[in-house]
Amino acid sequence: MNERQPHFTDKHETPYTFSVLRECLRYKPVSQFGLIYYYIVEVDGYVIPANTVLVPSMNSMNRNPSIYRNPDTFIPDRFIHDTKSMMASANGKTEDRDQFSFGWGRRICPSFYLAEIQMYLAFTMIIARSVIEPVDELPNLSEHTTTNPISQPLPYKVKFIRRG
């Protein structure tokens, strides 16, 4: 990318960066729970009756050990050979998904594709222009607050050092 602004098409030239972004979404989803659904559905022969409230656990889905090896460990390399977009992954088989943070099936977030592009561009622009260092010590990212529907890390301080 040299001196120019990164583009989403650069994701094929930056596979590790794209893998880190995917693993961030899988490892620490922004919301612990998905949207609430009301509908009749049959799961493994059991009928869930009408007006039953279904609240999907995004954390459980993103940490399913039958899909993700060592699900409680941050491993960006798990996606290093997966070059398709997250949106393309979301439109495939459930077991081939890279993460579930934007929903699934007919209930997938309509802005998923835009969000994927914006996250990639913001992430690559920050990394391309800055070195990020902790002010005191490395933050404990396994701890977070969930006082509202959004999961947030505990407060910590970092400094952004402009790359030369």
Side-chain angles (χ1 to χ4, degrees):
M1 286 183 278
N2 300 329
E3 299 297 319
R4 70 173 175 77
Q5 297 278 340
H7 299 283
F8 187 63
T9 55
D10 295 327
K11 72 182 183 81
H12 297 293
E13 296 175 39
T14 57
Y16 193 74
T17 302
F18 198 60
S19 296
V20 168
L21 179 61
R22 291 174 116 154
E23 182 67 349
C24 286
L25 288 169
R26 186 207 64 83
Y27 187 69
K28 291 289 182 187
V30 173
S31 175
Q32 296 295 308
F33 299 99
L35 297 175
I36 296 172
Y37 300 110
Y38 299 91
Y39 57 93
I40 302 170
V41 66
E42 185 174 327
V43 179
D44 294 333
Y46 295 96
V47 175
I48 299 172
N51 298 320
T52 299
V53 177
L54 300 177
V55 183
S57 170
M58 304 312 258
N59 197 45
S60 295
M61 293 173 75
N62 283 320
R63 301 227 178 170
N64 183 343
S66 67
I67 296 175
Y68 307 106
R69 182 181 51 82
N70 300 322
D72 295 325
T73 305
F74 186 82
I75 308 172
D77 289 334
R78 74 176 79 236
F79 300 117
I80 198 72
H81 299 293
D82 187 355
T83 59
K84 62 185 176 283
S85 71
M86 288 185 270
M87 187 66 179
S89 170
N91 289 325
K93 295 180 187 175
T94 302
E95 59 272 11
D96 294 336
R97 293 285 302 270
D98 50 6
Q99 46 80 23
F100 295 89
S101 299
F102 290 92
W104 60 92
R106 295 180 318 188
R107 306 290 193 267
I108 199 160
C109 175
S111 298
F112 188 4
Y113 185 69
L114 177 63
E116 177 181 6
I117 293 169
Q118 292 300 318
M119 287 185 299
Y120 176 79
L121 292 176
F123 189 68
T124 54
M125 284 184 194
I126 290 169
I127 298 300
R129 291 182 171 83
S130 307
V131 174
I132 306 169
E133 295 180 352
V135 171
D136 299 316
E137 58 188 40
L138 288 173
N140 181 354
L141 296 179
S142 64
E143 295 180 8
H144 60 276
T145 62
T146 54
T147 55
N148 57 37
I150 305 299
S151 179
Q152 302 171 9
L154 296 177
Y156 61 92
K157 293 183 180 183
V158 294
K159 57 184 171 185
F160 291 76
I161 303 165
R162 178 178 228 110
R163 292 186 187 267

